[in-house]
Every structure is written in structure tokens, then in C-alpha cells.
Amino acid sequence: MIIPLSSLKIGMDGTIIRLEFEESIKERFIAMGIIPGKKITYVHESPFGDPMVFKIDDNKIMIRRNEAEKIFIDVTEEIFSLDETTSGTYEIFLIKGGVFFRKELENLNIKCGSKINVLNNHFGKVIVNINGKQLIFGKGRSKKILVKKIG
């Protein structure tokens, strides 16, 4: 699936397919190592989501979000925040947020690698089934839980 670089979630990676800039601007990005065929990983999100920090080989580069919208990559699997999901089975990929939030989820046996079943996502309330227990996450909390679909 080909998506803009700006659509990646932290930890997600893909292969650069094309750059949709004017030639003079494209050269600047190629000099930074953004070359079609290279693998790129989204590694850090700034407080307001701009700029975005990516890793190519051993180098980290910062790109403005509006520039990342013009770079297209091929991803093998897509990662969603829990608030973007529909009904189905997902694996927890990453939990963002503070220590207390992560500890609270650990007490509910929710951690990276756990499998959850999303039952309903309606107006920002996500109802999930985890280990036989039903839990409801509000929009704010569900944005901090990144998942990948497995069924």
C-alpha cells in the first residue's frame, strides 16, 4: 500500500517510492538521503506533530509535515491508533503516553503484543474485548494506543 510519509505512525516503516517536488527542491531531499528504494522509519513526533523525525540507515532527519505529504512510501502493514479502528482483531504495537497510563494498562494486562478485539467504535468511544473483559476507551486514551490489524 502506497501512502504519504506524513501518514506514518511512530515505529512504522516503509520503502520510499517517489518524491513529488519540483526538481530543485527534490535535489535537497535526495542529498538528505531520501532516495527511492531506501527504507525509512518514523522515530519521533514533535509536541504538535511538526516537524517529524525519521531514520534512514543510521541517520536521523527532520522533515516538516507539509513536505512529508509529498513523499510517498510503500508500507507492508498499516498501523492505526485505536480511535481509527473498526471492528476486528488487532495486536497492540505501541503504547504512547506517560508512566501512569502505561502502568494502568499493564494492570489490565494490556501491553505491546497483546491481542484485542475491537467490538465497536462509535463517536470516539472504543469498546474492546481483552482476555474476556470488555473495556471502553475514550478518544484521548485510544489515540495513545497504536495497533495493527491481524484479523
Side-chain angles (χ1 to χ4, degrees):
M1 173 185 342
I2 296 174
I3 61 172
L5 193 57
S6 59
S7 298
L8 288 183
K9 307 286 185 209
I10 290 180
M12 210 171 150
D13 60 25
T15 304
I16 300 167
I17 299 297
R18 69 179 182 273
L19 289 74
E20 293 187 353
F21 296 104
E22 295 174 17
E23 284 303 314
S24 59
I25 297 171
K26 191 185 289 186
E27 289 175 16
R28 180 171 63 95
F29 283 96
I30 289 173
M32 291 169 50
I34 302 174
I35 301 167
K38 286 269 189 177
K39 184 178 173 185
I40 188 166
T41 306
Y42 185 26
V43 292
H44 180 72
E45 183 177 60
S46 298
F48 296 106
D50 196 14
M52 305 168 79
V53 179
F54 298 93
K55 186 174 181 185
I56 298 177
D57 296 328
D58 291 331
N59 301 319
K60 288 185 179 175
I61 56 170
M62 291 182 13
I63 302 174
R64 297 224 171 266
R65 182 169 288 278
N66 64 352
E67 295 169 332
E69 290 171 354
K70 296 176 182 173
I71 300 168
F72 291 86
I73 60 167
D74 187 18
V75 294
T76 54
E77 59 186 8
E78 193 169 3
I79 296 172
F80 309 92
S81 60
L82 190 57
D83 71 315
E84 299 171 326
T85 58
T86 57
S87 299
T89 304
Y90 295 85
E91 180 180 323
I92 296 177
F93 179 74
L94 180 73
I95 297 172
K96 301 189 302 185
V99 173
F100 292 116
F101 179 64
R102 281 188 262 150
K103 269 220 182 304
E104 182 185 336
L105 293 180
E106 275 181 28
N107 289 336
L108 296 168
N109 206 17
I110 301 171
K111 54 191 171 197
C112 292
S114 296
K115 296 195 176 28
I116 63 171
N117 191 13
V118 175
L119 303 174
N120 193 354
N121 183 353
H122 191 65
F123 291 112
K125 286 190 177 178
V126 182
I127 302 171
V128 299
N129 185 344
I130 300 171
N131 300 327
K133 285 197 285 190
Q134 278 195 8
L135 302 170
I136 300 173
F137 290 97
K139 191 167 189 155
R141 290 178 156 228
S142 59
K143 279 185 179 273
K144 296 177 180 176
I145 301 170
L146 302 180
V147 296
K148 60 183 171 184
K149 191 163 189 165
I150 55 174

